[in-house]
Amino acid sequence: MLLRGSLKSLLPRVLRRMIRCNSLSMSNTSGMAEGYKQANIVILHKSLADDFEKFCHANDGPLPLLYRSKPGDWKCPSLSGDSDIRTDCLQYRKYEHGACTGSLKSLKEYSEQLKDMVTFYLGCSFSFEKAVQAAGIPVRNVEQKCNVSMYKTAVPCYRIPPFCCNLVVSMRPIPESKLEAAVLATSELKEAHGAPIHIGEPGLLGIQDLSKPDYGDPVQLHPGDIPVFWACGVTGAEAVISCRTPLAFTHSPGCMFITDLKNDNATLRSSRGVPQVHCISQDPLHYSVVSAEAAQKIKNIEILIGTDPGNRGITHLLRQDELLKACLSISHAQSVLVTTGFPTHFTYEPPEENDGPPGALAIAAMLQALEKEVAIVTDERAMDLNKKIVEEAVQLGILKRPVPLLSYQKENADSALMFLCENGNPGRPRFDHLIAIERAGMAADGNYYNARKVNIKHLVDPIDELFLAAQTIPGVTTTGVGDGGNELGMGKVKDAVKKHIKNGDVIACDVEADFTIVAGVSNWGGYAIACALYILSTCEIHDRYLRKALGFPKMSKKMGWLAALPSVKK
C-alpha cells in the first residue's frame, strides 16, 4: 500500500497510470507529483466552448486556461504525452441541466457523447504547494492529510452569458509572520491562480463558517494562523451549473488531472513585481496587498508632507506608514464620509480657516474618479459656505458632480449610530471609511480649542461622536489629518502632542482615528491622500487584489484618475 508521502516523488505519468487502473485509494491529489502542474477539468458541449473560453479569459484568476481540446479529443499533447481525460482523474462529477447528478470513476461509458464535447484544462493551486513549502510555509491540509477547504463566495465573476456565477475560493491557514512570504511565493505562478485574492476575515467574502466548506475538507487553523484565500478552479463547476447545459462533466473537487509540466519558479525582477502585505483593519481582520514600488512612492510622499514649515514640533507626531495604510483602507472602501472645518478665526464671519476645505475637495475628487460614493459632513452653521465651495468646485471641473452635504446634531444616545448605519444597525453601515481633515477635535475636557487655547466649542458641531461611534462598528475605519494635534483623529498621538506641541496639554484632541496622517499643512495631507489613491489604482498588484482576480485591469481609466489629481491650477 502506497503512503501519501511516497506519492509526492512519483512522476505524473506513473500516477496517471495508477489512477487509470484504480490502484490509488486517495481522495485527492494534493501533495502528489511535487513540482508538477495539476489541472481542474471542465468538459462541455462544443456549442458552449467559445463562450466558456471567453469566460475563462475574463476571470483568469480562478480559471487560468492551460489547454482547450478539440471536440472529441481526450488527449492533451501540450500537457502530457500519454493521457486520457476519460480515465485520468481520481473522480469526476456529472452535471445535467444545472444539477450534479452523480460521481464517476471513469467517463468511458460516455465516449459517444464526448465526441461532441470540449475539455478545458485549468490551473490549480495544488501546483504551488511545493513553492509554498520551499518558502518555509506549512501547508496545513497536507500536514493534516486532507483535501483543501473550498468555499462559495458572494463575489460575482465577470459575466459572459450563459455563464454567470460567483467566485469559489480555496483557503489555506498561513502563520501571520509568513503572510508576505506566501504572497511572494505564489504571485508569479499565474497558471496556479497566482497570489491570494483575500487575506483575513472570511465574512468579507460572504463565507459564514470556515468549519463548513462547500467543497473539500475542513482544515484546522493553528494558533497564530490567518485564513488566506486563493481563487479556485472549482469556479468552473459553478459556471457549469449556471448555464444549465443538458450534460457536462468536471473533476471532483481536489481530484485533479496531473500534467507533465513542471512549475518553473519565477523570479521577480523589480520592486514593481514584489508584493507587500499590510494589515488595514483588526475588526474585521483584513490585510491588503501592494507592490513594493507603489508602497515606496507613498512613503516618499509621507516624508514630503511631514516637513514642518512653522517649526511647531509636528515631527514628533509622525507615525510611519500611516498614509500607506490609510489609503489602502480607503482603496477598499465603497462609500467615504469626509469632514472638515476649523473655526479658528472666531471673531470673523465666516470663522473658518482656509486650510482643510481644499484638501477635502482633493480627496473627494479622487474618490469620485475612482467611482466611490463620497459625502461631506460639516457644521450646520457652515452649510451655506460649503455649498458655495462645492458648487464652484463643480463649475471649475475639480469635482465631476456635486458632493452631498450633511450635518450632524446629537439628539439622543443613538444619534451617531443612526447617522452612520441604516436604521442604526451596525451590520449595515452607510460608510466604510471616515476622513477628518483639519477638523476641530474634542479635547479631554470636552471642549474644542484653537492653537492659542481659545475655546471654540460654541462654533463646533459634535462630529467627533461619529468617529467614536465608528469604533464600535465592524468594518468602518477612520483617518484623521492634522498639522497641530488639536484636530479630529489626533487622539492617537495625544501623548506626543502634550509633550511637544505648544499648549498641547490643553488643546490635544482626545479622539483617535485608526490612521493618523500628520502634515506640515493639513491640505498637504489631503493632496497626499489623493496622490496615494492614484498610485494604488495604477498598481497592478493592488488592482488585482481589489477585484479578486476577476474581470479586467482598470488601467484604461488611468486618464480619468490623472485628471482628478490636485494641481497648482486647481
Side-chain angles (χ1 to χ4, degrees):
M1 177 181 174
L2 280 170
L3 298 176
R4 179 173 290 275
S6 63
L7 298 176
K8 68 180 182 180
S9 58
L10 291 182
L11 291 174
R13 60 182 173 80
V14 175
L15 284 166
R16 289 197 300 272
R17 194 178 305 129
M18 294 173 69
I19 291 170
R20 201 175 301 152
C21 298
N22 285 323
S23 57
L24 278 182
S25 59
M26 304 299 178
S27 62
N28 63 83
T29 56
S30 176
M32 295 186 188
E34 262 191 0
Y36 287 89
K37 293 180 180 177
Q38 298 192 30
N40 297 272
I41 301 300
V42 172
I43 305 174
L44 293 162
H45 191 269
K46 61 186 179 183
S47 63
L48 294 168
D50 287 348
D51 287 330
F52 187 73
E53 182 172 349
K54 292 176 185 176
F55 184 74
C56 292
H57 290 315
N59 299 282
D60 62 356
L63 303 172
L65 183 58
L66 303 180
Y67 183 77
R68 169 185 168 173
S69 78
K70 294 179 181 179
D73 185 1
W74 30 80
K75 298 185 182 300
C76 50
S78 66
L79 302 182
S80 61
D82 63 343
S83 62
D84 185 336
I85 197 56
R86 300 173 299 170
T87 58
D88 290 1
C89 290
L90 275 174
Q91 192 173 64
Y92 302 85
R93 284 189 173 181
K94 176 185 174 184
Y95 294 87
E96 296 175 286
H97 302 286
C100 179
T101 56
S103 296
L104 308 162
K105 282 288 186 181
S106 168
L107 299 182
K108 276 198 167 183
E109 64 180 289
Y110 294 95
S111 294
E112 191 63 32
Q113 292 95 323
L114 288 170
K115 289 179 181 178
D116 288 324
M117 301 182 83
V118 173
T119 301
F120 290 85
Y121 300 76
L122 306 161
C124 169
S125 62
F126 288 174
S127 306
F128 66 52
E129 288 177 342
K130 184 178 180 181
V132 170
Q133 290 172 323
I137 303 163
V139 179
R140 299 295 188 208
N141 65 290
V142 174
E143 290 179 348
Q144 296 169 29
K145 297 180 174 59
C146 64
N147 200 351
V148 72
S149 301
M150 292 161 274
Y151 305 87
K152 300 176 185 179
T153 74
V155 181
C157 292
Y158 189 96
R159 183 183 182 193
I160 301 288
F163 301 102
C164 177
C165 67
N166 287 353
L167 174 69
V168 176
V169 293
S170 63
M171 186 281 293
R172 288 167 175 81
I174 304 291
E176 186 174 19
S177 63
K178 301 284 187 180
L179 289 178
E180 203 159 277
V183 176
L184 185 62
T186 58
S187 61
E188 291 300 300
L189 301 177
K190 308 294 187 186
E191 292 185 342
H193 304 303
I197 56 88
H198 179 68
I199 303 173
E201 168 59 42
L204 294 175
L205 294 176
I207 299 168
Q208 301 305 316
D209 189 347
L210 282 183
S211 69
K212 298 177 181 178
D214 296 291
Y215 302 101
D217 300 319
V219 178
Q220 300 301 312
L221 278 73
H222 289 203
D225 281 353
I226 305 296
V228 179
F229 300 86
W230 277 265
C232 178
V234 179
T235 302
E238 293 296 308
V240 166
I241 292 170
S242 75
C243 76
R244 304 180 68 83
T245 183
L247 181 66
F249 304 96
T250 71
H251 68 294
S252 284
C255 301
M256 305 300 172
F257 175 82
I258 303 173
T259 79
D260 292 336
L261 300 183
K262 282 196 169 183
N263 264 319
D264 296 323
N265 290 326
T267 55
L268 300 171
R269 295 193 177 96
S270 70
S271 62
R272 177 174 297 182
V274 177
Q276 292 183 356
V277 177
H278 296 273
C279 183
I280 58 173
S281 172
Q282 289 292 337
D283 184 19
L285 186 63
H286 192 193
Y287 294 80
S288 191
V289 177
V290 64
S291 73
E293 179 187 54
Q296 188 58 54
K297 288 179 179 178
I298 294 171
K299 290 178 182 182
N300 290 343
I301 293 173
E302 184 176 62
I303 292 170
L304 286 173
I305 66 170
T307 303
D308 187 1
N311 293 318
R312 290 181 292 171
I314 67 159
T315 55
H316 298 286
L317 314 184
L318 299 174
R319 294 294 180 270
Q320 190 175 3
D321 294 342
E322 291 286 284
L323 176 63
L324 173 61
K325 292 178 182 179
C327 290
L328 284 170
S329 177
I330 296 167
S331 182
H332 282 268
Q334 295 300 314
S335 181
V336 180
L337 182 68
V338 180
T339 184
T340 189
F342 206 123
T344 190
H345 305 297
F346 56 93
T347 60
Y348 291 82
E349 182 58 41
E352 271 71 25
E353 62 174 306
N354 55 17
D355 190 18
L361 288 180
I363 295 169
M366 183 54 68
L367 292 173
Q368 284 187 343
L370 296 174
E371 299 178 354
K372 299 181 186 295
E373 295 296 321
V374 57
I376 293 175
V377 59
T378 189
D379 301 298
E380 179 67 36
R381 57 161 187 79
M383 288 291 283
D384 289 342
L385 171 65
N386 281 277
K387 183 179 179 182
K388 291 176 182 177
I389 292 172
V390 169
E391 288 175 349
E392 186 170 347
V394 173
Q395 292 171 4
L396 294 173
I398 296 171
L399 295 174
K400 292 166 61 176
R401 57 187 177 277
V403 175
L405 288 173
L406 310 173
S407 64
Y408 170 77
Q409 298 292 330
K410 182 176 181 178
E411 296 176 354
N412 54 58
D414 296 326
S415 291
L417 207 57
M418 292 295 292
F419 184 95
L420 293 174
C421 305
E422 293 183 24
N423 299 318
N425 180 2
R428 302 186 65 183
R430 293 190 176 95
F431 308 100
D432 308 304
H433 201 105
L434 278 57
I435 304 173
I437 174 170
E438 192 61 22
R439 170 71 194 178
M442 184 172 63
D445 63 2
N447 292 315
Y448 297 78
Y449 296 94
N450 67 13
R452 298 181 299 280
K453 292 197 299 186
V454 176
N455 187 355
I456 53 174
K457 183 176 182 178
H458 61 291
L459 297 172
V460 181
D461 289 348
I463 291 172
D464 303 66
E465 293 182 2
L466 302 180
F467 280 65
L468 292 170
Q471 297 173 6
T472 69
I473 306 171
V476 179
T477 46
T478 57
T479 295
V481 182
D483 58 13
N486 55 345
E487 300 89 1
L488 178 53
M490 293 292 116
K492 188 173 182 178
V493 294
K494 62 185 177 184
D495 291 339
V497 173
K498 292 175 182 178
K499 183 176 180 180
H500 297 287
I501 302 297
K502 183 179 179 181
N503 300 323
D505 58 327
V506 175
I507 70 172
C509 176
D510 200 52
V511 180
E512 294 188 19
D514 294 306
F515 309 104
T516 298
I517 298 171
V518 179
V521 178
S522 290
N523 279 335
W524 296 355
Y527 306 152
I529 289 174
C531 292
L533 290 174
Y534 172 80
I535 291 168
L536 291 177
S537 298
T538 54
C539 170
E540 293 179 9
I541 288 174
H542 184 65
D543 170 69
R544 180 186 185 276
Y545 188 78
L546 273 184
R547 57 185 173 85
K548 308 289 188 288
L550 303 172
F552 302 97
K554 297 179 180 178
M555 294 296 286
S556 60
K557 300 178 181 180
K558 182 176 179 179
M559 293 310 296
W561 303 333
L562 192 63
L565 284 171
S567 66
V568 173
K569 181 179 178 181
K570 291 179 182 178

